[in-house]
């Protein structure tokens, strides 16, 4: 079974969410999504997620506090969804898996969103 994880990052000082735009190399290309990726066999979930954060955003993953919100079972395997918090917005440097990024208010989200990203943002808005 494939195991993956993702984190929706929320900035405490601005109440905005970090979203990244997926490249043609990813499933659902050209959609805005949270940071996510596959967990390797030798990794625990959080270690793998932090590796993905570092690879995709080129930031120190310890800038984010990770809170597991849900484990989703689907046709592509098991997905561990985390809500992450950071004190201040930061400027990521993207790898080839993403083409754009931004900090967005819940009322001004980009389009199109990766499936169910809107529901994750709505639930995280009150947190």
């Amino acid at each position: 079974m494939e195991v993956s994880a993702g984190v929706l990052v929320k900035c405490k000082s601005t109440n905005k969410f970090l979203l990244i735009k997926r490249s043609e190399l990813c499933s659902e290309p050209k959609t805005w999504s949270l940071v996510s990726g596959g967990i390797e066999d030798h990794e625990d979930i959080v270690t793998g997620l932090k590796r993905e954060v570092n690879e995709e955003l080129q930031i120190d993953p310890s800038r984010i506090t990770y809170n597991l919100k849900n484990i989703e079972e689907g046709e592509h395997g098991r997905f561990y969804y985390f809500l992450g918090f950071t004190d201040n917005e930061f400027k990521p440097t993207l790898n080839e898996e993403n083409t754009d990024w931004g900090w967005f208010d819940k009322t001004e989200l980009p389009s199109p969103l990766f499936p169910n990203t809107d529901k994750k943002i709505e639930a995280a808005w009150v947190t």
Side-chain angles (χ1 to χ4, degrees):
M1 172 189 299
E2 185 176 325
V3 177
S4 58
V7 60
L8 176 62
V9 180
K10 184 177 182 182
C11 178
K12 292 183 203 176
S13 62
T14 64
N15 220 25
K16 291 184 178 182
F17 297 93
L18 175 67
L19 297 175
I20 52 179
K21 190 174 186 181
R22 300 164 70 86
S23 77
E24 296 289 341
L25 300 174
C26 301
S27 63
E28 304 285 341
K30 299 182 181 179
T31 59
W32 290 87
S33 181
L34 47 113
V35 177
S36 63
I39 304 301
E40 297 174 6
D41 290 338
H42 66 279
E43 295 176 316
D44 64 65
I45 304 302
V46 174
T47 299
L49 180 55
K50 287 181 177 182
R51 176 187 46 76
E52 286 291 336
V53 166
N54 181 263
E55 288 175 3
E56 293 189 25
L57 304 178
Q58 302 295 306
I59 65 153
D60 178 353
S62 67
R63 294 182 69 168
I64 299 169
T65 303
Y66 302 83
N67 298 313
L68 180 63
K69 298 303 280 184
N70 195 18
I71 301 172
E72 303 167 4
E73 301 283 346
E75 63 184 79
H76 300 293
R78 182 173 293 141
F79 180 74
Y80 290 79
Y81 164 58
F82 289 78
L83 180 57
F85 295 95
T86 187
D87 291 330
N88 299 296
E89 292 180 13
F90 53 82
K91 180 180 178 182
T93 301
L94 303 177
N95 69 3
E96 69 280 352
E97 295 179 34
N98 302 290
T99 61
D100 202 0
W101 64 275
W103 290 95
F104 298 95
D105 186 271
K106 182 190 99 147
T107 61
E108 298 175 352
L109 296 175
S111 182
L113 291 172
F114 187 85
N116 296 318
T117 300
D118 57 338
K119 293 175 185 157
K120 288 175 171 57
I121 290 171
E122 185 65 37
W125 182 253
V126 296
T127 304

